[in-house]
Amino acid sequence: MIRTFEGHTSGVTSVAFSPDGKLLASGSYDGTIKLWEVATGSLVRTLYGHTWVVNSVAFSPDGRLLASSSADATIKLWDISDFLGR
Amino acid sequence: MIRTFEGHTSGVTSVAFSPDGKLLASGSYDGTIKLWEVATGSLVRTLYGHTWVVNSVAFSPDGRLLASSSADATIKLWDISDFLGR
Amino acid sequence: MIRTFEGHTSGVTSVAFSPDGKLLASGSYDGTIKLWEVATGSLVRTLYGHTWVVNSVAFSPDGRLLASSSADATIKLWDISDFLGR
Amino acid sequence: MIRTFEGHTSGVTSVAFSPDGKLLASGSYDGTIKLWEVATGSLVRTLYGHTWVVNSVAFSPDGRLLASSSADATIKLWDISDFLGR
């Protein structure tokens, strides 16, 4: 093992690598999504907004967007470049 | 966050981007699938037919078809071009 | 909708397209996996062996193998070419 | 069927092929991840560390890393090359 990413306060339902392999996105029963930098293990951002369990996360093919689906009956679309200054 | 897609009446189990990144498909406990246009956030179409929870959605590699699996014991195949006039 | 694939006797947990888009694999609470031909909608084969719910199915990158994971604590690997005469 | 991978002591939640198709990773209710060699069916390694159900596993696009998400509220990142002598 090289690294444990801690911070979610409840179980992690899903995880996805960005297409370039630099980011990892995780969705949780705690209702948040977390973006992690693979190379350093640092937390890039916690994405708040869903009001219930996040069931799945998926990066867009170009890696610029992240979609999340939730038990709160909504899908949210997040602009990853907002968090990275790219 | 850039956008929240609202319309499902129950939790969203899964979400998938089309290969070209232009569409987002979502499956829900409400038994429907919704197709969303990523660029505008508009709902392209609600796909009715399943009679129970939609567990997963997957685009075909060429992006022309969407497959959905459901607790109703069926898989449905949807022709995406029907909804887009392409 | 262009087609409904019927045959599973319980809910369908997951679905996956083969890399060439010609086959669809489905895993079910009924413990079986079914392989479907996308173009014709015909059932190619029902894969028996798991003794409990099939949780997920995944094609190998070259499309020749299908892996399935099950609540029966096993993973099974299926040679797709066996069923297609390819 | 060509092979059954046995060793997990509880249900298998998810399975993923490495991008080169040589490895199969499985996550289980038993809290472990197992890496299997596709060609021989041998168990390469059992990855211990999670303290509860492993919900999903995903290979990085370059196949060098495996990410796992768990009900224990953590994500773990595993360096695959450690186990293969590559």
Side-chain angles (χ1 to χ4, degrees):
Chain A
M1 189 197 326
I2 58 170
R3 197 163 285 136
T4 299
F5 296 150
E6 300 183 319
H8 281 298
T9 58
S10 189
V12 183
T13 54
S14 62
V15 69
F17 280 97
S18 61
D20 66 6
K22 294 184 179 172
L23 292 175
L24 199 60
S26 56
S28 170
Y29 278 94
D30 67 15
T32 70
I33 296 141
K34 287 180 185 283
L35 277 177
W36 314 85
E37 193 173 47
V38 169
T40 63
S42 62
L43 175 67
V44 175
R45 189 69 66 99
T46 300
L47 308 180
Y48 298 97
H50 283 300
T51 58
W52 209 0
V53 177
V54 176
N55 287 322
S56 73
V57 291
F59 280 95
S60 62
D62 66 7
R64 292 174 48 213
L65 301 171
L66 181 76
S68 54
S69 70
S70 168
D72 70 7
T74 70
I75 300 105
K76 288 184 189 288
L77 200 61
W78 314 81
D79 190 338
I80 299 301
S81 57
D82 287 354
F83 312 127
L84 297 176
R86 301 187 200 166
Chain B
M1 188 199 326
I2 57 170
R3 197 164 283 136
T4 298
F5 295 150
E6 300 183 321
H8 281 299
T9 57
S10 190
V12 183
T13 55
S14 62
V15 69
F17 280 97
S18 61
D20 65 5
K22 295 184 179 172
L23 292 175
L24 199 60
S26 56
S28 170
Y29 279 94
D30 67 15
T32 70
I33 296 141
K34 287 180 185 283
L35 276 177
W36 313 84
E37 193 174 46
V38 170
T40 62
S42 62
L43 175 68
V44 175
R45 189 67 66 101
T46 300
L47 308 180
Y48 298 97
H50 283 300
T51 58
W52 209 0
V53 177
V54 176
N55 287 321
S56 74
V57 290
F59 280 94
S60 64
D62 66 7
R64 292 174 49 214
L65 300 171
L66 181 76
S68 55
S69 70
S70 169
D72 70 6
T74 71
I75 300 104
K76 288 183 188 289
L77 201 61
W78 314 81
D79 190 339
I80 298 301
S81 57
D82 286 355
F83 310 127
L84 297 177
R86 304 187 203 168
Chain C
M1 188 196 329
I2 57 173
R3 196 163 283 135
T4 297
F5 296 149
E6 300 184 320
H8 282 299
T9 58
S10 190
V12 183
T13 55
S14 62
V15 69
F17 280 97
S18 61
D20 65 5
K22 294 185 178 170
L23 291 175
L24 199 61
S26 55
S28 171
Y29 278 94
D30 67 15
T32 70
I33 296 140
K34 287 180 186 282
L35 277 177
W36 313 86
E37 194 173 47
V38 170
T40 63
S42 62
L43 176 67
V44 176
R45 189 68 66 99
T46 298
L47 307 180
Y48 297 96
H50 284 300
T51 58
W52 209 0
V53 177
V54 176
N55 288 321
S56 73
V57 290
F59 280 95
S60 63
D62 66 5
R64 292 174 48 215
L65 300 171
L66 181 77
S68 54
S69 70
S70 168
D72 70 6
T74 71
I75 300 103
K76 288 184 188 290
L77 201 60
W78 314 82
D79 190 339
I80 298 300
S81 56
D82 286 356
F83 312 126
L84 297 176
R86 301 187 202 168
Chain D
M1 189 195 330
I2 57 173
R3 195 164 284 137
T4 298
F5 296 149
E6 300 184 320
H8 282 298
T9 58
S10 190
V12 183
T13 54
S14 61
V15 69
F17 280 98
S18 61
D20 65 5
K22 294 184 178 171
L23 292 174
L24 198 60
S26 56
S28 170
Y29 278 94
D30 67 14
T32 72
I33 296 140
K34 287 180 185 285
L35 277 177
W36 313 86
E37 193 172 48
V38 170
T40 63
S42 62
L43 176 67
V44 175
R45 188 68 65 99
T46 300
L47 308 180
Y48 298 97
H50 284 300
T51 58
W52 209 359
V53 177
V54 176
N55 287 322
S56 73
V57 291
F59 280 95
S60 63
D62 65 6
R64 293 174 49 213
L65 300 171
L66 180 76
S68 54
S69 70
S70 168
D72 71 5
T74 71
I75 299 104
K76 288 184 189 289
L77 200 62
W78 314 82
D79 190 340
I80 299 301
S81 57
D82 286 355
F83 312 126
L84 298 176
R86 301 187 202 167

